Amino acid sequence: MGERKAYPSDLTDEQWAVVGPFLDAWKARHPSVSGHQGRYSLREVLNSIFYQNRTGCQWAYLPHDLPPKSATYYYFALWRDDGTDQAIHDLLRCQAREKAGRREDPSAIILDTQSIRAANHVPAATTGKDAGKKVPGRKRGLAVDALGLIIAVVVTAASVTDTVIGVRLLDKVVEHTPTVTRAWVDAGFKHDLGIHGALLGVDVEVVKRSDTRPGFVPVAKRWVVEQVNGTLMLHRRLVREYESRPESSVSRTLWASAANLVRRLTGTSTPCWRDPA
């Protein structure tokens, strides 16, 4: 980081020791043809992505002491398109599960969707309106394990039904995590998802909300994914849909989750405005 003052979202030396080897290995596999190593370090590039994720600022408003849009977006788009963001996230997730005394891959997941309002510059062709919640924008579907670690992400127009998103999530889960044999969902996912799950070897169980107890009552199994949605909202770039491409929204979600995983692995937290100076 040189001599600049650190931002709360910056990676500490301890956190960089966890995620840095993955990016160093990526850099070794992608040497520059000219032999130039680049003006900005990959650690600073990742700091810039984490800063924008956490604050929600526009590209042009990145601080001058962080890598500019030209460098940050170059790597963000490159890692999005070649799957580096997914690979790093999954490796960190496996480490977090092992640290918690679990196997690398889970056997059960929880599915949920969340409708997000889109900014006015987001292409209309990739957005829609949630018929139930009346939210215009996109819908983010998550598959998480029992620890609240993200297994798969799908981003679609908000007009797409939960069942369709659930089918896409199950397809991604089975492709990358074939150990999963059970999935818990809410009543918004229709019977067709259960049939699709059975064809994939995944038992889909609907967990219904209790109507007999007043007030807020955490729903067994499902509360985990609700907690993940709340944690992601701490990253302001995810509060509203700003990305032109749904693939970029998926990448944003993975990087936000990766930032949470790094803190979990190192036992640290990101300072906020409530923390004393």
Side-chain angles (χ1 to χ4, degrees):
M1 289 186 297
E3 299 299 326
R4 75 171 178 82
K5 185 177 179 180
Y7 292 102
S9 57
D10 281 350
L11 290 160
T12 64
D13 291 342
E14 185 181 11
Q15 292 170 350
W16 176 247
V18 173
V19 71
F22 302 134
L23 289 179
D24 290 339
W26 177 88
K27 188 69 173 179
R29 295 194 304 270
H30 299 80
S32 172
V33 176
S34 63
H36 191 264
Q37 294 301 313
R39 181 178 177 183
Y40 303 100
S41 70
L42 295 185
R43 178 175 179 177
E44 281 291 74
V45 171
L46 196 54
N47 281 337
S48 189
I49 293 174
F50 283 179
Y51 178 93
Q52 191 178 39
N53 256 16
R54 192 76 182 191
T55 65
C57 74
Q58 300 172 28
W59 284 107
Y61 285 81
L62 285 172
H64 295 296
D65 51 1
L66 286 174
K69 172 188 175 180
S70 57
T72 304
Y73 183 78
Y74 170 80
Y75 283 102
F76 173 80
L78 187 60
W79 292 337
R80 174 199 65 200
D81 295 339
D82 70 3
T84 296
D85 52 2
Q86 180 80 59
I88 290 177
H89 173 270
D90 290 350
L91 289 169
L92 292 174
R93 187 195 71 224
C94 290
Q95 290 186 18
R97 285 185 57 84
E98 288 182 335
K99 183 179 180 181
R102 304 293 186 99
R103 295 180 178 178
E104 283 190 1
D105 294 320
S107 60
I109 57 173
I110 309 99
L111 307 184
D112 194 27
T113 64
Q114 183 180 30
S115 295
I116 309 293
R117 289 184 179 272
N120 56 6
H121 69 274
V122 177
T126 64
T127 62
K129 188 171 184 178
D130 186 326
K133 299 178 181 177
K134 310 301 181 184
V135 175
R138 289 190 182 137
K139 191 177 288 186
R140 182 188 303 129
L142 296 180
V144 306
D145 65 9
L147 299 178
L149 307 181
I150 294 177
I151 307 299
V153 185
V154 169
V155 176
T156 69
S159 54
V160 177
T161 65
D162 287 0
T163 302
V164 171
I165 295 177
V167 167
R168 297 183 187 178
L169 283 171
L170 284 183
D171 287 341
K172 293 184 71 172
V173 168
V174 171
E175 179 182 358
H176 298 289
T177 316
T179 56
V180 172
T181 58
R182 170 165 290 191
W184 291 291
V185 300
D186 62 27
F189 295 88
K190 304 306 180 184
H191 184 62
D192 290 347
L193 181 62
I195 297 175
H196 186 74
L199 295 174
L200 297 175
V202 179
D203 179 23
V204 179
E205 178 183 345
V206 176
V207 181
K208 296 183 178 180
R209 187 182 302 275
S210 173
D211 295 327
T212 59
R213 298 174 59 185
F216 172 74
V217 180
V219 182
K221 307 292 191 303
R222 276 173 44 199
W223 72 268
V224 178
V225 70
E226 299 289 354
Q227 184 184 53
V228 174
N229 280 325
T231 303
L232 290 177
M233 290 299 99
L234 296 175
H235 300 263
R236 294 190 177 187
R237 189 78 181 190
L238 300 179
V239 173
R240 187 177 289 270
E241 190 57 60
Y242 294 111
E243 310 302 329
S244 297
R245 297 174 53 182
E247 296 86 354
S248 295
S249 297
V250 172
S251 185
R252 288 284 182 190
T253 305
L254 292 173
W255 283 123
S257 180
N260 292 337
L261 286 168
V262 169
R263 291 193 293 271
R264 184 185 291 229
L265 288 168
T266 57
T268 56
S269 62
T270 298
C272 68
W273 62 270
R274 294 185 180 88
D275 294 331

